[in-house]
Amino acid sequence: MKVPFLDFVGPYEELKPQLDVAYERFMRSAWYILGKETETFEQEYAEYCGSKYCVGVGNGLEALHLVLRAWGVGKDDEVIVPSNTYIATWLAVSYADAKVVPVECDARTYNLDPALIEAAITKRTKAIMPVHLYGQPANMKEIMAVAEKHGLKVVEDNAQSQGARSYGRRTGSLGHAAGHSFYPGKNLGAFGDAGAVTTDDAALADKIRVLRNYGSRKKYYNEVKGYNSRLDEMQSALLRVKLKVLDEWNKRRSVIANRYLKEMKSAHGLVFPFVPVWADPVWHLFVVRHPKRDELQKKLTDAGIGTLIHYPVSAHLSGAYEDAGFKRGSFPIAENAADTVLSLPIGPHLRDDQAGWVIEAFNAAVASL
């Protein structure tokens, strides 16, 4: 049996009638950028997240970058980021001309460790950028307590956790702002690049609306040096369809994750996902760790099972940040994750028999290592 890591056909087939209606509505409108579809999606997504405002932008990286720019973060400023994350989190800080200050992650959740943040704060620190990684919410209650103590802004990187909850509240509404990615592989995925910012701050939302559109409220009247980062009408129309089923599809992911946790057998060196009691994850990824990760991946590949490594190179060891002076050993928990993590197939259209084959093949592979 072949089990792909991601299934892009299943979502389309399930929603084809609704997507076709949305596409035809968009095409007949003859309005392609910053129109009614985007305005309506912004309203619907803000309500979904529990935020007052949503501003659609080009992608998740630009969402984070524009928040920092709108806050005035720039040269000589510092932003605290997790050691373990996709490099886009760090790049958002670099694009703002600020300095990334990595803080080690919690070895159990892979998210930013709140207990280590305070030691990284300096007079130049302006913001904290926690990531809700793999669909697991970061401990925002403790992170916000540190931020409030030191007068810092907090922007959530919510690229992977649309619909997750921390202490009963949805991610995307827990900080002063949040950046969202709707890259096709996300839980709420568009059919191309797309992103958004959510916030309760009316002034911040207004600034980002200006920044995303060349620094302009009115065409040809540019107030500031802005950017071209606009969520287009077609993606907005299609995202509105998928938003309606997001909670249902997240529940399907949870069913598969719980089955994996129940039926996959423990073995020496194998680490399964850990979920804190206050967290309600949405299982964007199901990530295990094993010291013989590469051998495990090969065995699963031979069994017809698609897997991916998120992420094989820690950001601080990448060529992009070679000039920062980080070395191997700077962030051992993140480095260990890069060397040992493996993501297994999980998604709302993974069939029961496919999940069963993943479990069977995984148990056999682990036992043979």
Side-chain angles (χ1 to χ4, degrees), residues 44 188 239-248:
E44 293 171 348
L188 180 59
L239 281 168
R240 291 181 61 198
V241 174
K242 298 185 80 173
L243 180 59
K244 289 180 172 62
V245 297
L246 178 57
D247 284 342
E248 178 189 342

Side-chain angles (χ1 to χ4, degrees), residues 33-82:
I33 296 174
L34 296 184
K36 292 296 182 182
E37 293 292 348
T38 298
E39 289 178 11
T40 306
F41 172 74
E42 289 173 338
Q43 294 167 2
E44 293 171 348
Y45 191 62
E47 182 179 355
Y48 176 84
C49 291
S51 295
K52 291 182 180 179
Y53 309 102
C54 172
V55 183
V57 297
N59 54 64
L61 168 55
E62 291 172 357
L64 298 171
H65 171 225
L66 291 178
V67 170
L68 296 179
R69 284 294 190 189
W71 279 339
V73 174
K75 188 174 176 57
D76 297 326
D77 292 332
E78 296 177 352
V79 178
I80 291 173
V81 298

Side-chain angles (χ1 to χ4, degrees), residues 112-260:
L112 181 63
D113 189 339
L116 302 179
I117 294 175
E118 202 157 21
I121 296 174
T122 72
K123 292 180 179 180
R124 294 181 175 181
T125 307
K126 290 297 191 296
I128 306 171
M129 191 182 290
V131 180
H132 306 303
L133 200 64
Y134 308 151
Q136 173 96 276
N139 192 335
M140 292 297 295
K141 187 174 182 180
E142 294 186 12
I143 292 171
M144 290 302 293
V146 175
E148 290 170 10
K149 178 180 177 181
H150 293 273
L152 302 176
K153 294 290 190 181
V154 176
V155 52
E156 306 165 69
D157 183 337
N158 197 40
Q160 300 185 8
S161 294
Q162 297 97 346
R165 296 179 186 270
S166 175
Y167 293 97
R169 291 180 58 196
R170 287 197 199 274
T171 55
S173 66
L174 305 176
H176 300 106
H180 306 256
S181 169
F182 306 127
Y183 181 78
K186 307 301 186 185
N187 288 38
L188 180 59
F191 292 82
D193 271 327
V197 173
T198 52
T199 183
D200 287 343
D201 186 336
L204 176 66
D206 183 65
K207 287 182 180 179
I208 293 172
R209 289 191 190 100
V210 172
L211 285 172
R212 73 175 175 180
N213 190 34
Y214 296 100
S216 171
R217 300 172 195 274
K218 182 179 179 182
K219 195 169 185 178
Y220 303 128
Y221 293 84
N222 304 86
E223 302 171 19
V224 295
K225 295 174 182 175
Y227 306 86
N228 177 10
S229 181
R230 302 169 299 199
L231 175 59
D232 71 62
E233 288 288 281
M234 184 180 75
Q235 298 301 344
S236 297
L238 301 177
L239 281 168
R240 291 181 61 198
V241 174
K242 298 185 80 173
L243 180 59
K244 289 180 172 62
V245 297
L246 178 57
D247 284 342
E248 178 189 342
W249 285 10
N250 282 342
K251 287 179 182 177
R252 296 183 196 175
R253 290 174 178 269
S254 294
V255 169
I256 297 166
N258 290 332
R259 184 179 177 189
Y260 281 175

Side-chain angles (χ1 to χ4, degrees), residues 23-39:
Y23 177 75
E24 184 175 356
R25 184 179 68 238
F26 149 72
M27 289 298 293
R28 290 186 179 281
S29 75
W31 195 281
Y32 307 124
I33 296 174
L34 296 184
K36 292 296 182 182
E37 293 292 348
T38 298
E39 289 178 11

